[in-house]
């Protein structure tokens, strides 16, 4: 399975796609964990698979409402999780929730630009801000030097569509300007957050999951969610301060900004 031994873990966008697969694989791990699986509408039809998974692992998975596009929801979720994590804090937060909108310079709507930026950049910013105190607690409680995802970490699930180096070669095939621009902003958020929190010894980095067959990735994608998540969890479990502020893919290879 995975070398990840973090005890308290929060996953955003956990009701479908990669988020759901991450929760599934972590819940099957032999290491004792408490997973906070967050999503926009825990009681809705799109969260049925997550609810069923939580029923199978009632002592491991707690479902929390968190809408990345709603600052009040982010704040309320942090209060709830904070009341549950205890004196050792939160070890790992995976910023996975995101939306996609297609378009080009000539066709992208103002609404799509605003919506993708709100969910993919402002949402993660607020999540990092609200949950930072609980990761600071975990970092201090660990009593160990250095950085790791078992101690305290923010992992931001990004994409090569947010890479200014890589996007030109795939833009004709994937004309998703609102998504690409928002993910480039997300990558900058990762770099600056990493700079701010390095003194707290909280690891922060961006991770590209590959092109995955999910609702977001589409049926033509080359990877199954299981394979992508297995790779990401191996990478996450191996991270140290050497990868702080970096951009890697699910195999551990560096992705250019």
């Amino acid at each position: 399975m995975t070398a990840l031994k973090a005890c308290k873990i929060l996953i955003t966008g956990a009701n479908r796609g990669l988020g759901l697969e991450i929760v599934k694989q972590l819940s099957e791990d032999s290491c004792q964990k408490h997973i906070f699986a967050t999503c926009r509408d825990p009681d809705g039809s799109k969260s049925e698979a997550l609810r069923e998974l939580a029923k199978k692992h009632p002592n491991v998975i707690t479902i929390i409402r968190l809408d990345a596009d709603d600052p009040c929801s982010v704040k309320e979720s942090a209060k709830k999780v904070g009341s549950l994590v205890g004196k050792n804090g939160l070890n790992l937060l995976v910023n996975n929730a995101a939306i996609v909108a297609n378009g080009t310079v000539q066709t992208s709507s103002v609404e799509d630009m605003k919506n993708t930026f709100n969910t993919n950049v402002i949402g993660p910013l607020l999540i990092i801000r609200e949950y930072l105190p609980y990761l600071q607690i975990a970092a201090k409680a660990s009593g160990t030097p250095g950085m790791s995802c078992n101690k305290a970490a923010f992992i931001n699930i990004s994409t090569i569509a947010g890479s200014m180096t890589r996007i030109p070669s795939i833009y004709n095939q994937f004309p998703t300007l609102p998504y690409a621009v928002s993910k480039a902003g997300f990558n900058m958020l990762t770099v600056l957050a990493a700079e701010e929190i390095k003194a707290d010894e909280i690891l922060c980095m961006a991770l590209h999951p590959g092109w995955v067959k999910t609702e977001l990735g589409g049926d033509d994608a080359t990877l199954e969610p299981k394979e992508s998540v297995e790779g990401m969890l191996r990478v996450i479990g191996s991270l140290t301060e050497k990868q702080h502020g970096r951009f890697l893919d699910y195999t551990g290879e560096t992705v250019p900004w």
Side-chain angles (χ1 to χ4, degrees):
M1 182 57 69
T2 171
L4 185 61
K5 296 181 175 63
C7 295
K8 303 279 178 37
I9 302 169
L10 186 141
I11 316 293
T12 70
N15 63 313
R16 61 190 177 104
L18 289 173
L20 181 63
E21 183 64 25
I22 292 171
V23 175
K24 180 181 179 183
Q25 292 192 26
L26 288 176
S27 64
E28 294 171 349
D29 198 329
S30 59
C31 295
Q32 188 176 2
K33 291 178 171 59
H34 192 149
I35 303 165
F36 300 97
T38 79
C39 59
R40 181 178 297 174
D41 183 11
D43 299 321
S45 59
K46 292 184 178 181
S47 301
E48 183 176 357
L50 178 59
R51 293 196 297 270
E52 290 300 315
L53 189 59
K55 286 180 183 178
K56 288 176 60 178
H57 304 280
N59 297 321
V60 176
I61 300 171
T62 298
I63 301 176
I64 303 285
R65 181 182 182 274
L66 191 165
D67 182 352
D69 196 24
D70 180 354
C72 291
S73 171
V74 174
K75 189 178 289 286
E76 287 303 314
S77 73
K79 287 181 181 178
K80 186 165 186 178
V81 171
S83 70
L84 297 172
V85 293
K87 63 182 180 180
N88 291 322
L90 183 68
N91 302 109
L92 173 62
L93 191 152
V94 181
N95 259 320
N96 168 71
I99 62 171
V100 174
N102 297 322
T104 65
V105 170
Q106 299 178 70
T107 65
S108 297
S109 70
V110 171
E111 183 179 11
D112 281 345
M113 294 300 295
K114 287 181 177 179
N115 288 342
T116 53
F117 199 83
N118 283 340
T119 299
N120 298 351
V121 184
I122 297 176
L125 167 64
L126 297 178
I127 289 166
I128 291 172
R129 181 184 299 170
E130 294 295 336
Y131 281 90
L132 179 58
Y134 307 120
L135 278 92
Q136 289 172 327
I137 290 171
K140 290 179 181 177
S142 73
T144 58
M147 295 182 183
S148 78
C149 291
N150 300 325
K151 179 178 178 178
F154 289 104
I155 303 298
N156 291 335
I157 305 300
S158 189
T159 169
I160 59 170
S163 164
M164 294 188 186
T165 303
R166 297 287 295 276
I167 189 63
S169 64
I170 62 174
Y171 185 54
N172 287 336
Q173 185 181 1
F174 302 103
T176 56
L177 183 142
Y179 177 65
V181 171
S182 69
K183 282 298 190 176
F186 185 48
N187 286 346
M188 180 61 80
L189 171 63
T190 302
V191 170
L192 298 183
E195 184 65 22
E196 280 197 34
I197 65 178
K198 64 182 179 182
D200 293 315
E201 295 191 336
I202 298 171
L203 196 153
C204 181
M205 55 85 67
L207 188 58
H208 168 53
W211 186 20
V212 190
K213 293 180 181 177
T214 62
E215 184 177 333
L216 188 151
D219 295 333
D220 294 331
T222 55
L223 282 175
E224 294 293 338
K226 184 176 185 294
E227 181 182 359
S228 170
V229 170
E230 285 175 349
M232 286 197 292
L233 291 179
R234 280 194 294 270
V235 172
I236 290 171
S238 68
L239 295 173
T240 69
E241 56 271 16
K242 293 180 181 179
Q243 290 81 38
H244 181 65
R246 298 272 300 279
F247 190 7
L248 307 178
D249 71 9
Y250 74 102
T251 70
E253 293 296 314
T254 296
V255 179
W257 295 111

